[in-house]
Amino acid sequence: MISIVCGIVNLSSGRVIADGNNIQTDYRAARSKIGLVPQELATDSFESVWATVNFSRGLFGKAPNPSYLEKILRQLSLWEKRDNKVIALSGGMKRRLMIAKALSHEPKILFLDEPTAGVDVELRRDMWDMVRGLRESGVTIILTTHYIEEAEEMADRIGVINHGELVLVEEKTKLMQELGKKQLTLQLQTPLPTLPEKLRLYQLELCQEGSQLVYTFDTQQKNTGISELLKSLNQEGIVFKDLHSSESSLEEIFINLVRKNKESA
């Protein structure tokens, strides 16, 4: 899909509109608004960093803008390497250079195809700081990633693809609210051998050899049932010494969605 939108692969049917421009009938206008950071590292090894980024900008018909290119290279910690040949760069630096090339012509839409695969923690942090800045400036960013925590931290909207099928597209906060579950974990003062009959009305699970009670509830319901549960525990003489709540992560939601999709197939 990314290759089609970016003009690398010809589509066989349908149409793609990028910022109001058809990628087939208005190719130049559409392509000039799109930046791509591919998963593979593909650069001219014997060109300098500066020449590579400057040439990339010129490919899109953009007038020279040394100050803008300098800004990008500085943000990506590449300014000191501007005269170095690409072949002399480390893997992390080459990844930064791919981002600089993608941003050289000031695109309105930026595709990041697993940009942090195989990069160190420091570079990943720097990249996300830059992505946040681009997002705030109005650039639309499409990120593909296998790191669910990145999507959870960065994205406004989430799309889940399973075996080439788009399972859903939803606002992240709404997705977390609708599909996420909350759990209340109570650490008991005295372990229970079994769950009392009256407590089996609740979605309770006895864990840690009877020393924990885990209550799962729906955040969308007006009545979570927590107050009734605590009252029932008191009536049964069950004392807890600690409690904490947690909610589903995006990773758990993703796994559940994929699992349901497999079961319905």
Side-chain angles (χ1 to χ4, degrees):
M1 183 188 73
I2 292 175
S3 295
I4 289 172
V5 176
C6 295
I8 299 169
V9 173
N10 292 327
L11 55 82
S12 55
S13 62
R15 65 177 186 143
V16 176
I17 305 297
D19 197 28
N21 300 110
N22 188 300
I23 65 165
Q24 288 181 299
T25 59
D26 200 4
Y27 175 81
R28 286 186 179 277
R31 191 66 185 86
S32 68
K33 294 181 179 180
I34 300 170
L36 169 64
V37 180
Q39 190 173 356
E40 300 82 11
L41 296 173
T43 55
D44 190 336
S45 298
F46 297 99
E47 286 286 357
S48 70
V49 168
W50 177 264
T52 298
V53 177
N54 193 47
F55 179 72
S56 184
R57 179 180 176 84
L59 282 176
F60 293 92
K62 292 281 187 176
N65 190 340
S67 60
Y68 173 73
L69 295 184
E70 179 180 343
K71 177 185 173 184
I72 292 174
L73 293 178
R74 286 189 182 279
Q75 285 178 326
L76 291 166
S77 301
L78 283 171
W79 182 244
E80 300 301 322
K81 303 286 186 179
R82 64 188 181 277
D83 295 324
N84 289 37
K85 292 189 183 299
V86 174
I87 196 172
L89 301 180
S90 66
M93 287 290 180
K94 287 177 182 176
R95 180 69 65 184
R96 293 172 193 253
L97 178 57
M98 297 301 294
I99 299 171
K101 286 181 62 180
L103 295 174
S104 64
H105 62 287
E106 303 171 63
K108 299 296 182 185
I109 303 169
L110 179 64
F111 283 94
L112 300 174
D113 189 6
E114 298 192 41
T116 59
V119 303
D120 59 63
V121 175
E122 184 180 0
L123 172 56
R124 188 176 300 176
R125 191 185 304 119
D126 291 345
M127 284 174 60
W128 293 139
D129 287 342
M130 188 173 190
V131 167
R132 287 189 189 95
L134 289 168
R135 184 178 62 182
E136 290 169 5
S137 71
V139 176
T140 298
I141 299 169
I142 297 95
L143 164 71
T144 67
T145 180
H146 283 97
Y147 299 116
I148 303 295
E149 67 274 14
E150 287 185 348
E152 188 167 356
E153 180 183 349
M154 301 296 301
D156 298 311
R157 298 172 71 219
I158 302 288
V160 177
I161 296 176
N162 184 35
H163 294 292
E165 179 184 352
L166 191 61
V167 178
L168 66 77
V169 178
E170 188 59 88
E171 298 288 334
K172 181 182 68 179
T173 52
K174 188 176 180 182
L175 180 66
M176 300 286 281
Q177 288 172 354
E178 289 185 354
L179 300 179
K181 290 182 178 179
K182 274 204 169 184
Q183 288 187 330
L184 183 69
T185 302
L186 299 102
Q187 194 74 34
L188 303 180
Q189 189 79 44
T190 305
L192 292 172
T194 58
L195 198 63
E197 189 67 35
K198 288 185 178 180
L199 294 181
R200 292 178 184 177
L201 300 170
Y202 303 95
Q203 294 185 38
L204 282 170
E205 185 181 356
L206 198 58
C207 305
Q208 298 292 320
E209 298 182 347
S211 63
Q212 276 187 0
L213 273 178
V214 179
Y215 175 55
T216 303
F217 59 96
D218 187 353
T219 57
Q220 297 301 297
Q221 297 294 329
K222 290 183 179 180
N223 183 12
T224 60
I226 293 175
S227 59
E228 291 86 348
L229 171 63
L230 296 180
K231 189 181 296 182
S232 296
L233 288 172
N234 185 53
Q235 290 172 351
E236 292 293 316
I238 299 172
V239 181
F240 58 90
K241 57 185 178 181
D242 190 22
L243 63 83
H244 75 272
S245 63
S246 60
E247 58 185 325
S248 301
S249 66
L250 187 59
E251 182 173 7
E252 291 169 324
I253 293 172
F254 171 79
I255 291 170
N256 288 333
L257 280 170
V258 171
R259 186 178 294 134
K260 286 180 182 177
N261 195 251
K262 284 181 179 177
E263 291 171 354
S264 63

